[in-house]
Amino acid sequence: MVNDVRALVSELDTRGEMFRENREFMLDRLEGLQELLDQAALGGGVKAQQRHAARGKLSIRERISLVLDPGAPFLEISPLAAWESPYAIGGGFVVGIGVIAGVECVICGNDPTVVGGALQPYSTKKWMRALEIARANRIPYVSFVESAGADLRRGGGADPGSEIRTSHFAETGRYFHDMAQLSKSGIPTICVVFGSATAGGAYQPGMSDYTILIEGKSKAFLAGPPLVKMATGEESDDETLGGARMHAEVSGLADYLAKDEPDAIRMCREVVSHLNWRKQGPAPIAQAEAPRSDPEELLGLFGEGLATPVEVRDVIARIADGSRFEEFKREYGSTLVCGWATIHGYRVGILGNNGVILPDSASKGAQFIQLCNQVDVPLVFLQNLTGFMVGRDFERDGIIKKGSQLVNAVSTSAVPHVTVIIGASYGAGTYGMSGRSFGNRFTFLWPSARIGVMGPKQIAGVMSIVRREQAARAGRPFDEDEDRQLVAAAEARQERASLALEATGAVSDDGIIDPRDTRDVIGMCLSVSANAAVEGTRTYGVFRL
C-alpha cells in the first residue's frame, strides 16, 4: 500500500540567514522571469496587439484560452525562446499542452502580431518540439495557423547566425513529414486557419486530418496574388484564389467552415470530443496528496553561484505525495539518491544528486533504472551535479566502466523520463541523469540552474593550465598578470553562458519553472506521458560488469 511508505522528515533550517538570502535571490529571479514572460505575452508589442484586435481578431493566447476546458491549466513550452536574440522573445510562436474536451493535446500557433506570424529559427524549433511532444506522448496535435510564411528579411547570410536560419528553412519539409507520421501512428492532427496560410504554411491544413477555415478570414494558397501574377500573369484576389468558402465548396480543403473565430474554436472542441481518445499508459495508483513539507520552502534552497550543497531529499519531501519516499540502497552510493514515490497519484522512481557521481552511485543508479523499467514505472531526474568524479583512485575503481553502465541504462530505458535541473548540470554527469539529448519526455529548469561543460571556475582554470604548459614547452616566460586577466574574463564569460536563461532562450529545454510549481508540472507531464503505452523491451546493451 502507498500509505505504508514512511514520510521523509526534512531538516531544512527555514529560519537561518542562508535560507532567507536564498529565498530573496530566488524571488528576485522569479520577478525578472515574470517580466520577460509578460513581454513574451505581448508578442509584437502593444501597438501590434491593438492593430490585431481592431481587425476583429483574437490574440493567439486568447484563442488558446477559449479552446481549453474551463479552468484547465496550460503548460507552455519554451515561452522565453529567442531571449536576447534579434527576434521577439517567445519566437512569435506559442506551444504548450492543455486539455480540450477532456483530452490532453499539444496546442501550437503563430502569433500574428510578430511579423505577421512569419516563421523564423526559434518558431521552427518550437514547432518541431510540438510535433516531438505529440509523437513521444501520443497526444492529439492542434495547430492554430496565421502566418505570412517564412521571414524573408533574414536568413540570407547578412547577419550572425544566418547559417542556423538557413538550415532551419532547408529542413521545413521535415515538419510536414512528421505531421504525416503522426497521422500514420493514429495521432490526430487538427488545424484551424485563422488568417493566411501561405506557401509552405498552406501544407499545415493540407497535411492535417481535420481542417477548419473561417469565412472571410482564412486564406490558404501556395502562392498569393502577387506571386501568381509574377509567375503566370494571372490576375486574382485572395478570396477567389484561396478563400475559406472556395476551399469549403470547391477545392475540398476545408472540412468545416466557421462563421467567425469563436465558432472555429467551438468546432475544434467538437472535433476533439469525437476522437474517442483513451490513454494507453498506467493510471494513477492513488489519490493525489499534498506533501507534508511545504513546497513554498523550495525557494530557500539555492543561492546565487550554487556554492552551498543542497540535500536533494529536501526537494523530494516537497514534491512527493504525502512526502512519502521509499529509498533504495540508502547506505550505498550516497551521492545519488534513488527511490520510489507517487506524484499526483502516479508511481515514479526518483533519482536525485547529492553531489558528484561516484563509481558506487553510478552502479546503484543503473540498477535502479533497470528495476523501474521492469515494472513500467516512469523516472524523475533531479539534476544538481558537477559530473562524474575524476582522479587516479576513481579511475582504478572503474568510474568509466560504472559511469558507462549508468549512461547505458538511461539510454536504453523504455519508461518515460522527466528531468528537472534544479542546480548545476555540468559535464558528462548530465548524460547519466537523462539530459535533453537522451530522449526524455520533458526537461525543465529552476531559475537557479547552471548548465555547461564544466563549472566556470574549472574551465577557466583548465585553460590557464594549458597556457602555462604551452609556455613551458615553448621555453617562453609566463605572464602571470595577463593570465589572471584571462582567467577572470573566461570565468565571467562561462558564468553568463551557463545561466538558465541562456539555455532556455536557445530552446535547449522546455522552460524555466517556479520551484513551487515543480510538483504540479511533473504531475502534468506524467499524466501526458500516460497517453502512450510503454514500448520497447527490458533489455539493455552490453554492460561492462
Side-chain angles (χ1 to χ4, degrees):
M1 295 291 291
V2 173
N3 290 334
D4 291 337
V5 179
R6 289 187 296 179
L8 286 170
V9 178
S10 176
E11 298 181 358
L12 179 65
D13 180 9
T14 59
R15 297 183 179 182
E17 181 67 16
M18 182 174 295
F19 181 89
R20 185 187 64 79
E21 291 178 356
N22 289 350
R23 187 174 187 277
E24 289 178 357
F25 159 76
M26 188 66 77
L27 287 172
D28 181 67
R29 283 288 174 87
L30 289 171
E31 183 179 351
L33 287 170
Q34 188 58 55
E35 291 175 358
L36 292 175
L37 290 170
D38 292 342
Q39 182 182 337
L42 284 175
V46 174
K47 291 184 178 179
Q49 293 283 353
Q50 291 172 342
R51 284 196 302 271
H52 185 71
R55 299 186 184 112
K57 288 177 170 285
L58 299 170
S59 70
I60 178 60
R61 294 178 186 277
E62 288 173 328
R63 292 165 180 168
I64 292 172
S65 177
L66 287 174
V67 82
L68 295 175
D69 289 355
F74 181 65
L75 180 60
E76 189 167 354
I77 302 297
S78 296
L80 300 182
W83 177 72
E84 289 205 338
S85 79
Y87 297 92
I89 190 166
F93 199 72
V94 177
V95 174
I97 301 168
V99 179
I100 302 174
V103 179
E104 290 160 333
C105 301
V106 172
I107 307 167
C108 65
N110 313 93
D111 185 340
T113 70
V114 181
V115 199
L119 295 173
Q120 37 89 346
Y122 295 96
S123 54
T124 52
K125 288 179 76 171
K126 290 176 71 170
W127 185 7
M128 183 62 82
R129 178 64 181 139
L131 291 162
E132 181 182 17
I133 290 172
R135 179 175 62 251
N137 298 286
R138 192 187 151 271
I139 58 177
Y141 171 84
V142 177
S143 60
F144 288 172
V145 178
E146 184 168 5
S147 173
D151 185 354
L152 301 179
R153 304 172 308 154
R154 303 181 186 272
D159 57 301
S162 62
E163 298 85 358
I164 298 175
R165 281 187 285 279
T166 302
S167 69
H168 274 286
F169 290 129
E171 295 168 0
T172 299
R174 182 71 192 185
Y175 312 132
F176 307 129
H177 167 276
D178 286 0
M179 289 178 68
Q181 288 295 317
L182 289 181
S183 182
K184 177 183 176 181
S185 301
I187 301 172
T189 55
I190 303 163
C191 178
V192 184
V193 181
F194 287 93
S196 177
T198 307
Y203 289 106
Q204 291 187 70
M207 299 295 294
S208 297
D209 295 344
Y210 301 90
T211 299
I212 301 166
L213 272 63
I214 303 168
E215 186 164 12
K217 300 289 185 180
S218 304
K219 296 174 288 185
F221 27 57
L222 295 183
L227 183 54
V228 168
K229 183 174 182 178
M230 290 295 298
T232 68
E234 179 182 296
E235 295 278 356
S236 60
D237 59 65
D238 285 354
E239 284 299 317
T240 55
L241 183 63
R245 181 159 291 279
M246 187 281 291
H247 282 304
E249 296 179 348
V250 181
S251 79
L253 175 67
D255 301 315
Y256 301 87
L257 180 64
K259 62 181 181 181
D260 54 24
E261 292 196 13
D263 192 38
I265 292 168
R266 178 190 60 78
M267 289 177 173
C268 179
R269 288 182 53 80
E270 286 184 349
V271 169
V272 176
S273 71
H274 83 237
L275 295 178
N276 196 27
W277 199 250
R278 296 177 298 276
K279 292 189 175 185
Q280 297 180 350
I285 64 168
Q287 289 291 323
E289 181 183 349
R292 297 187 185 183
S293 296
D294 189 357
E296 182 75 22
E297 295 167 349
L298 293 172
L299 295 176
L301 294 182
F302 287 97
E304 189 168 12
L306 307 179
T308 306
V310 171
E311 169 58 68
V312 75
R313 294 179 185 87
D314 287 334
V315 179
I316 297 171
R318 290 162 176 82
I319 64 173
D321 288 348
S323 299
R324 288 185 294 273
F325 184 59
E326 178 193 344
E327 190 160 350
F328 176 71
K329 284 185 182 287
R330 182 183 175 91
E331 292 76 19
Y332 182 79
S334 60
T335 62
L336 183 61
V337 174
C338 303
W340 288 274
T342 62
I343 297 178
H344 278 278
Y346 286 93
R347 170 70 74 196
V348 295
I350 299 176
L351 297 91
N353 303 114
N354 258 354
V356 66
I357 298 179
L358 301 173
D360 55 356
S361 52
S363 292
K364 168 183 169 178
Q367 181 188 0
F368 181 71
I369 291 170
Q370 289 179 309
L371 291 172
C372 289
N373 272 263
Q374 193 173 45
V375 291
D376 288 346
V377 171
L379 293 167
V380 173
F381 294 82
L382 303 175
Q383 286 195 18
N384 179 28
L385 76 166
T386 54
F388 290 98
M389 192 62 187
V390 297
R392 182 178 57 192
D393 291 343
F394 299 102
E395 294 292 357
R396 288 171 179 267
D397 196 22
I399 187 62
I400 295 176
K401 182 177 70 173
K402 295 174 183 177
S404 296
Q405 291 172 2
L406 178 59
V407 175
N408 187 323
V410 167
S411 303
T412 53
S413 171
V415 298
H417 294 186
V418 179
T419 300
V420 184
I421 303 176
I422 61 177
S425 180
Y426 293 144
T430 190
Y431 306 157
M433 290 295 291
S434 194
R436 175 69 175 266
S437 59
F438 278 72
N440 56 11
R441 298 293 179 89
F442 298 96
T443 302
F444 291 96
L445 314 180
W446 280 10
S448 47
R450 300 292 182 93
I451 303 164
V453 176
M454 62 181 74
K457 288 184 180 295
Q458 289 74 21
I459 196 167
V462 167
M463 293 166 65
S464 175
I465 292 171
V466 170
R467 286 193 297 271
R468 192 179 297 273
E469 292 177 346
Q470 288 175 338
R473 286 196 301 269
R476 63 174 184 267
F478 186 72
D479 191 329
E480 297 286 355
D481 289 338
E482 180 186 29
D483 184 67
R484 277 192 291 272
Q485 294 175 14
L486 290 172
V487 166
E491 190 173 328
R493 186 167 58 251
Q494 293 298 324
E495 182 78 17
R496 177 176 173 78
S498 69
L499 294 176
L501 265 173
E502 286 282 346
T504 207
V507 199
S508 65
D509 53 75
D510 293 315
I512 303 174
I513 61 173
D514 187 323
R516 295 168 293 188
D517 295 333
T518 304
R519 166 181 162 78
D520 292 340
V521 169
I522 293 175
M524 189 167 180
C525 291
L526 293 170
S527 179
V528 169
S529 298
N531 280 274
V534 176
E535 296 180 352
T537 62
R538 276 44 168 193
T539 59
Y540 294 81
V542 174
F543 274 36
R544 292 182 175 272
L545 302 176

